[in-house]
Amino acid sequence: MYHQLEKHYVNRVGWLRAAVLGANDGLLSTTSIVIGVAAAGPERNTIILAALAGMIAGAMSMAAGEYVSVSSQEDTEKADLYRERKELEEMPEIELKELAKIYEKRGVSKETAMKVAMELTEHNALEAHARDELGINEITKAQPLHAAGASFISFAVGALLPFIVSLLAPIKQMVYFQYGFSIVFLMLLGAVSAKTGGARIAPAVLRICFWGTVAMGITALVGHFFGVSVS
C-alpha cells in the first residue's frame, strides 16, 4: 500500500525567515531610497549611486545583524547544554526522574514514562534532555553563519531589482517605474514565502503590498519636499 509522507514546514522556519526578511528588506528599503532620491530630482548617476550604496550597505548590515542575533541564541543554547551535561554527570538519578516527569505531563503513564526515559538516557542522555527539556534539536538549532549568509544573499537579490530599474527607467518616470516593479515583485515574494511556509497567500500579499506602499510613499514625499526646498 502506497503511503505518502506528510509535509512539514517547521524545518524551513530558520532559513525561510532570514531569506524572506532579507529579500523583502532589500527590495523595499533600496526602492524606498531610490524613490526618495529620485523624487528630489537629481541626475541618473546620483540615483544609481544611491541604489548601489543602499544594496551594499543593507546587505552587510542584514548579515551582521543576523549573525549577532543568531550567535546570541547559539551562545544561550551552548550554555544550557553545558549546564545540562554537568547535571547529568553530577545527579543522573534526578535528571532521569525529571525526564520521566516531562513524558508524564504529555499523557504517558508513570511506568511507561520511566521506561522511555531510561531507554532514551541509555541511548543518548544529553540528546534526550536537549530535545525534550530544553527544546533544542537539529531542526531548530541556531546556525549563525547560515542565517547571515542567507540574509546577505537574499537582501542583495532583493535590492538588485531597484538597482537595475535605476539603470534603465526614464528619469522623469523613475518614481513610478520603481514603485510599479517593486509592488509586483513584493506580491510575488509574499506569495512564494506564504506557499513555502504553508500559510495563506492572500493575507501575506496584501500585508506586504500595504506596508510597501506606505514605506515608498513616505520616502517619495520626503524626497519631493526636500527637492522643492533645495530649489
Side-chain angles (χ1 to χ4, degrees):
M1 183 178 178
Y2 177 73
H3 176 68
Q4 185 175 2
L5 296 176
E6 296 179 6
K7 290 183 179 180
H8 297 286
Y9 300 97
V10 66
N11 60 328
R12 305 175 181 177
V13 170
W15 67 263
L16 179 62
R17 181 184 66 85
V20 170
L21 179 62
N24 186 27
D25 195 23
L27 176 58
L28 186 54
S29 63
T30 307
T31 300
S32 297
I33 290 172
V34 173
I35 286 178
V37 173
E43 298 179 348
R44 184 181 297 275
N45 289 342
T46 305
I47 296 174
I48 294 174
L49 180 60
L52 184 61
M55 179 170 63
I56 295 174
M60 293 300 296
S61 177
M62 281 289 295
E66 193 71 17
Y67 181 81
V68 170
S69 175
V70 180
S71 291
S72 298
Q73 179 186 342
E74 185 182 42
D75 292 340
T76 302
E77 290 179 354
K78 286 181 178 179
D80 285 341
L81 289 173
Y82 175 77
R83 284 193 295 269
E84 196 64 34
R85 187 181 290 108
K86 290 277 291 181
E87 291 172 357
L88 285 169
E89 293 174 355
E90 296 171 358
M91 43 186 180
E93 295 83 4
I94 295 177
E95 288 297 304
L96 178 63
K97 292 178 181 178
E98 191 176 64
L99 190 61
K101 283 289 184 183
I102 293 173
Y103 301 138
E104 279 187 60
K105 290 179 180 179
R106 294 179 183 176
V108 179
S109 67
K110 187 174 182 178
E111 294 76 14
T112 303
M114 179 55 71
K115 184 178 180 181
V116 171
M118 291 176 65
E119 290 184 3
L120 289 176
T121 298
E122 290 176 4
H123 174 69
N124 191 323
L126 182 60
E127 181 183 277
H129 282 269
R131 181 182 61 248
D132 296 319
E133 184 180 347
L134 303 177
I136 300 173
N137 56 56
E138 288 301 319
I139 294 176
T140 59
K141 188 178 180 182
Q143 301 180 58
L145 288 176
H146 188 271
S151 293
F152 181 90
I153 294 172
S154 57
F155 187 101
V157 170
L160 193 60
L161 173 68
F163 177 72
I164 293 174
V165 174
S166 69
L167 292 173
L168 303 176
I171 289 292
K172 292 184 178 180
Q173 289 82 38
M174 180 66 70
V175 171
Y176 305 108
F177 271 84
Q178 288 285 351
Y179 175 76
F181 277 101
S182 293
I183 283 295
V184 171
F185 276 85
L186 280 173
M187 291 174 66
L188 290 175
L189 179 61
V192 169
S193 63
K195 182 68 175 178
T196 305
R200 293 176 58 199
I201 294 177
V205 171
L206 290 174
R207 183 168 56 244
I208 202 170
C209 287
F210 173 77
W211 289 111
T213 299
V214 170
M216 289 184 280
I218 291 174
T219 53
L221 288 174
V222 170
H224 173 73
F225 288 123
F226 177 77
V228 171
S229 64
V230 171
S231 59

